[in-house]
């Protein structure tokens, strides 16, 4: 039986406790998870530097040798294929997330037929956390430490 490798793609600007929760819960299903930080063409300017985010995510998961952090700037389906990932791991906070993720899932399945999307419902107490809200709070000097699995 081959290793069950999941790709958890996103811009992760920043990586939140909600993201951490999905990855850790994903370990109950998958042997290895690749946190894949993508360069989203629609989000050309990052708020947090990608090198810093790689370091912070790696520190958050330092006790988990089966979690890798990589970056990519290509189609998610192609990146998954190159890394032997048969699954895309995604978190759903609400029905809006589902509508968006469902469309992406269909396209990825067309591009890479062996790629199955697996959705985990976000833990209720973390469901309201979003990277865009955290960026806004941080931009105006607010304390975001309670929303992140690492220190800024």
């Amino acid at each position: 039986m081959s290793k069950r490798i999941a790709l958890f793609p996103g811009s992760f600007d920043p990586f939140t406790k909600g993201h951490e929760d999905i990855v850790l819960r994903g370990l109950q299903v998958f042997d290895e998870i690749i946190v894949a930080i993508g360069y989203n063409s629609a989000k050309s300017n990052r708020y947090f530097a990608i090198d810093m985010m790689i370091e912070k995510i790696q520190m958050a998961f330092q006790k988990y040798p089966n979690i890798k952090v990589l970056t990519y700037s290509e189609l998610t389906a192609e990146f998954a294929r190159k890394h032997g990932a048969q699954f895309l791991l995604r978190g759903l906070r609400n029905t809006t997330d589902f509508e968006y993720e469902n469309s992406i899932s269909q396209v990825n399945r067309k591009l890479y037929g062996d790629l199955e999307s697996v959705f985990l419902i976000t833990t209720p107490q973390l469901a309201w956390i979003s990277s865009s809200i955290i960026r806004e709070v941080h931009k105006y000097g607010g304390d975001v430490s309670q929303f992140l699995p690492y220190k800024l």
Side-chain angles (χ1 to χ4, degrees), residues 64-123:
Y64 300 91
N66 52 343
I67 298 173
K68 297 178 184 174
V69 182
L70 302 173
T71 61
Y72 71 106
S73 58
E74 61 189 295
L75 290 172
T76 299
E78 190 55 34
F79 187 76
R81 183 191 325 265
K82 286 179 181 176
H83 290 276
Q86 312 95 325
F87 303 94
L88 282 183
L89 175 61
R90 302 298 294 156
L92 298 176
R93 294 172 296 183
N94 51 44
T95 56
T96 304
D97 281 356
F98 172 77
E99 293 296 328
Y100 176 74
E101 294 295 341
N102 182 47
S103 298
I104 291 173
S105 172
Q106 300 300 326
V107 170
N108 282 322
R109 188 69 185 241
K110 285 285 187 191
L111 295 172
Y112 176 20
D114 294 332
L115 189 61
E116 190 66 56
S117 292
V118 176
F119 302 105
L120 296 181
I121 304 298
T122 304
T123 300

Side-chain angles (χ1 to χ4, degrees), residues 6 15 46 51 58 74 86 90 122 127 150:
F15 189 89
R46 290 186 60 88
D51 291 337
Q58 287 172 333
E74 61 189 295
Q86 312 95 325
R90 302 298 294 156
T122 304
Y150 48 82

Side-chain angles (χ1 to χ4, degrees), residues 15-148:
F15 189 89
T16 70
K17 283 187 177 180
H19 296 130
E20 176 191 46
D21 177 62
I22 295 297
V23 171
L24 293 176
R25 289 172 46 219
L27 286 178
Q28 297 173 37
V29 180
F30 305 108
D31 300 310
E32 182 180 313
I33 296 176
I34 300 168
V35 177
I37 305 173
Y39 295 101
N40 185 333
S41 59
K43 298 178 183 177
S44 58
N45 296 333
R46 290 186 60 88
Y47 183 80
F48 292 100
I50 201 158
D51 291 337
M52 183 203 61
M53 198 50 49
I54 293 166
E55 180 182 320
K56 297 295 185 183
I57 299 168
Q58 287 172 333
M59 284 177 18
F61 294 123
Q62 64 187 345
K63 296 178 184 175
Y64 300 91
N66 52 343
I67 298 173
K68 297 178 184 174
V69 182
L70 302 173
T71 61
Y72 71 106
S73 58
E74 61 189 295
L75 290 172
T76 299
E78 190 55 34
F79 187 76
R81 183 191 325 265
K82 286 179 181 176
H83 290 276
Q86 312 95 325
F87 303 94
L88 282 183
L89 175 61
R90 302 298 294 156
L92 298 176
R93 294 172 296 183
N94 51 44
T95 56
T96 304
D97 281 356
F98 172 77
E99 293 296 328
Y100 176 74
E101 294 295 341
N102 182 47
S103 298
I104 291 173
S105 172
Q106 300 300 326
V107 170
N108 282 322
R109 188 69 185 241
K110 285 285 187 191
L111 295 172
Y112 176 20
D114 294 332
L115 189 61
E116 190 66 56
S117 292
V118 176
F119 302 105
L120 296 181
I121 304 298
T122 304
T123 300
Q125 61 268 29
L126 301 173
W128 61 272
I129 297 174
S130 75
S131 293
S132 57
I133 290 172
I134 292 170
R135 285 192 305 271
E136 195 71 10
V137 171
H138 187 267
K139 178 179 177 180
Y140 291 103
D143 180 12
V144 296
S145 60
Q146 63 185 316
F147 313 123
L148 306 173

